[in-house]
Amino acid sequence: MNEAIKKEILEAIKKADKIVISRHLRPDGDAIGSSRGLAALLRASFPEKDIRVCGDDSSDYLAFLGPDDPHPSEAHYRESLLIVTDTGNEGRISNQYFSLAPRVIKIDHHIPDQDHFGHLAWVEPERSSCCEMIADFYRSFPNDLKLTREAALLLYTGMVTDSGRFRFPSVSGDTLRLAGMLLDTGLDTESLFARLGLREADSFRYEAYVYEHMKFTPNGVAYLFVDGPMQQRFSLSREDASETISYLSEIKGSLIWLAFIDNGDGSIRVRLRSRFVTVQELATRYHGGGHDRASGATVYSWEEAEQLLAEADELLKNYKENHEGWL
Ligand code: AMP
């Protein structure tokens, strides 16, 4: 079935003279890798087309992947095919001109919810990244598409970052086959991993603080409230604050871990991660969604944060009572 959708997408791309590619707000490696990676693939394959990557926000940490294109005129949007990658719902699209495009294609790996969008949607929630889907798209049409090293690096970056360096349960044999195909273009992975992994010394001081101050609910949910004063004390960027979640990922018995990050505008971003247990439904109850074991949500007060935390605790309690073999 997906083969038919992919074919339809390729035909729509072939017909379009102007293509704008967008992704989700607060872009991560997969959002940037999939949007720019698809653009690089299409630019190499169809040099006569006007192909742009446009978002309303970007990421400092991933600046090494290159800049976006400026938004074109509204008239340009009205004549463009808009492709949105790595974005589950309409509210998360990082493109204020989204509704001007006459035709929208969604390529995504999130679990679909009600806020559906796109005239044509290719969604594979079992894929570890959207970049994996774009790599698969190329593999389906090797005679129509041209894979450059630039495109391969962008796609590989998204695959690496969204799969926890190929460790998450969503990584399949096909993930690695596609990654191998990209690596074969001759990627410089030493530089890539240095760019993705090296950190300023100060961020280790913050990490130490996280371990000193992390908290646990009665049933073992690990969490931290990253409030405004904490962000100021360590001069945390939005991305530094977001990283808090990754420091909590390897605590025995804490199968769910949460970071609450004060956005400074009356809202609090919640990052939810888990092993064995599914947190996606919990996130959906708090204006969020995502994947089974990696979701995001938003709450609007610390009281609401406590409520979400209590639900996470209950979820973990039930899980532990009804399952064996968890760690
Ligand atoms: P995050 O913790 O923000 O990295 O989010 C984890 C995953 O959940 C990512 O794949 C996000 O795209 C997705 N996600 C985050 N926030 C939301 C939301 N409000 N609605 C739907 N999906 C989300």
Side-chain angles (χ1 to χ4, degrees), residues 18 25 28 51 106 149 159 208 210 235 252 262 265 276:
K18 298 187 175 88
L25 286 164
D28 55 11
I51 297 167
K106 170 187 183 180
R149 188 181 293 167
M159 290 182 79
V210 171
S235 307
K252 265 192 184 170
D262 193 341
D265 61 359
F276 305 113

Side-chain angles (χ1 to χ4, degrees), residues 49-320:
K49 294 187 191 297
D50 183 322
I51 297 167
R52 305 178 191 215
V53 182
C54 301
D56 294 340
D57 58 351
S58 201
S59 157
D60 293 344
Y61 145 77
L62 295 161
F64 73 92
L65 295 174
D68 277 346
D69 302 299
H71 280 293
S73 66
E74 295 197 359
H76 187 110
Y77 268 109
R78 287 199 185 88
E79 294 168 353
S80 295
L81 170 67
L82 183 67
I83 305 179
V84 183
T85 64
D86 194 36
T87 308
N89 50 49
E90 187 170 331
R92 280 181 42 83
I93 299 173
S94 177
N95 191 326
Q96 58 191 302
Y97 303 105
F98 158 77
S99 54
L100 296 177
R103 198 158 162 75
V104 177
I105 293 177
K106 170 187 183 180
I107 303 178
D108 184 43
H109 74 129
H110 293 93
I111 298 168
D113 69 8
Q114 291 96 331
D115 187 14
H116 181 71
F117 71 91
H119 302 100
L120 196 54
W122 170 30
V123 180
E124 291 194 26
E126 59 289 346
R127 289 284 187 186
S128 68
S129 63
C130 188
C131 281
E132 182 179 325
M133 296 176 68
I134 307 295
D136 172 61
F137 186 64
Y138 162 73
R139 186 180 57 181
S140 296
F141 307 110
N143 298 326
D144 296 276
L145 300 174
K146 195 170 164 207
L147 180 68
T148 59
R149 188 181 293 167
E150 182 203 356
L153 179 66
L154 287 157
L155 297 175
Y156 193 78
T157 303
M159 290 182 79
V160 160
T161 53
D162 237 37
S163 67
R165 313 294 190 260
F166 298 120
R167 274 181 40 202
F168 293 168
S170 51
V171 171
S172 65
D174 208 37
T175 310
L176 297 184
R177 275 187 288 280
L178 288 163
M181 176 187 83
L182 300 175
L183 271 181
D184 284 344
T185 62
L187 301 184
D188 175 2
T189 52
E190 185 176 16
S191 292
L192 174 64
F193 283 106
R195 286 178 192 277
L196 292 176
L198 295 182
R199 293 158 52 188
E200 299 295 339
D202 274 351
S203 84
F204 290 93
R205 291 191 188 96
Y206 174 62
E207 185 172 347
Y209 177 91
V210 171
Y211 293 126
E212 291 278 349
H213 293 83
M214 63 190 177
K215 295 197 172 75
F216 298 90
T217 64
N219 293 289
V221 176
Y223 68 97
L224 190 69
F225 292 140
V226 187
D227 57 16
M230 198 188 294
Q231 293 179 31
Q232 278 155 20
R233 177 170 165 193
F234 290 95
S235 307
L236 299 181
S237 66
R238 183 172 60 75
E239 277 155 341
D240 298 333
S242 303
E243 264 311 290
T244 308
I245 192 70
S246 61
Y247 307 147
L248 304 173
S249 66
E250 294 186 331
I251 305 170
K252 265 192 184 170
S254 291
L255 287 67
I256 299 178
W257 54 105
L258 309 174
F260 296 87
I261 299 145
D262 193 341
N263 285 329
D265 61 359
S267 71
I268 299 161
R269 177 183 182 192
V270 190
R271 304 193 80 193
L272 305 91
R273 300 289 186 271
S274 61
R275 55 182 172 271
F276 305 113
V277 198
T278 296
V279 287
Q280 193 259 351
E281 285 145 23
L282 173 60
T284 309
R285 292 200 288 277
Y286 289 88
H287 318 281
H291 309 286
D292 280 349
R293 292 172 176 70
S295 285
T298 307
V299 293
Y300 295 91
S301 66
W302 293 110
E303 291 71 38
E304 202 186 355
E306 295 280 2
Q307 196 183 318
L308 188 157
L309 195 54
E311 285 192 39
D313 186 56
E314 190 63 23
L315 182 64
L316 188 49
K317 178 172 185 270
N318 287 336
Y319 186 86
K320 286 183 170 179

Side-chain angles (χ1 to χ4, degrees), residues 7 9-17 19 46 49 144:
K7 186 96 193 106
I9 292 177
L10 180 67
E11 291 312 317
I13 288 169
K14 281 184 177 171
K15 274 193 215 134
D17 296 328
I19 300 174
F46 307 106
K49 294 187 191 297
D144 296 276

